[in-house]
Amino acid sequence: MFGRRVPPHIVFALSLLLAVLCAWWAVMAWRSGSLIWAGVAGVLAVWLAVDAVRSYGWAQEKKRREAEKRRQNHPDLK
């Protein structure tokens, strides 16, 4: 966005928060009998949860690459 990437840990936190909010919305809609809104909110909750898992993977991959780069630059360090 605008030439800069959002850090993966920020994407993870926001996606997880929104997934929880959408899941709550889905449960409230289901309890009130609005099945269409419950379905929409449920799909959004799953989508955002998958996004959170993917961003967590990106963060772990970034840490692994940085550790590998440090090991290549400083072979004595562990």
Side-chain angles (χ1 to χ4, degrees):
M1 185 169 172
F2 305 114
R4 301 185 95 191
R5 286 193 170 157
V6 178
H9 67 280
I10 301 292
V11 174
F12 171 73
L14 291 177
S15 293
L16 193 59
L17 175 67
L18 288 173
V20 169
L21 288 174
C22 285
W24 175 79
W25 178 32
V27 169
M28 291 295 115
W30 181 270
R31 292 177 84 198
S32 71
S34 180
L35 299 181
I36 292 177
W37 286 115
V40 168
V43 167
L44 284 174
V46 170
W47 184 357
L48 289 165
V50 168
D51 188 46
V53 169
R54 290 180 63 215
S55 66
Y56 181 77
W58 296 334
Q60 296 305 312
E61 177 65 22
K62 183 178 177 185
K63 285 181 186 178
R64 189 187 63 74
R65 278 188 310 210
E66 288 172 355
E68 182 64 32
K69 190 184 295 185
R70 273 196 309 274
R71 259 182 281 167
Q72 287 177 353
N73 291 338
H74 304 286
D76 334 350
L77 299 177
K78 293 188 178 188

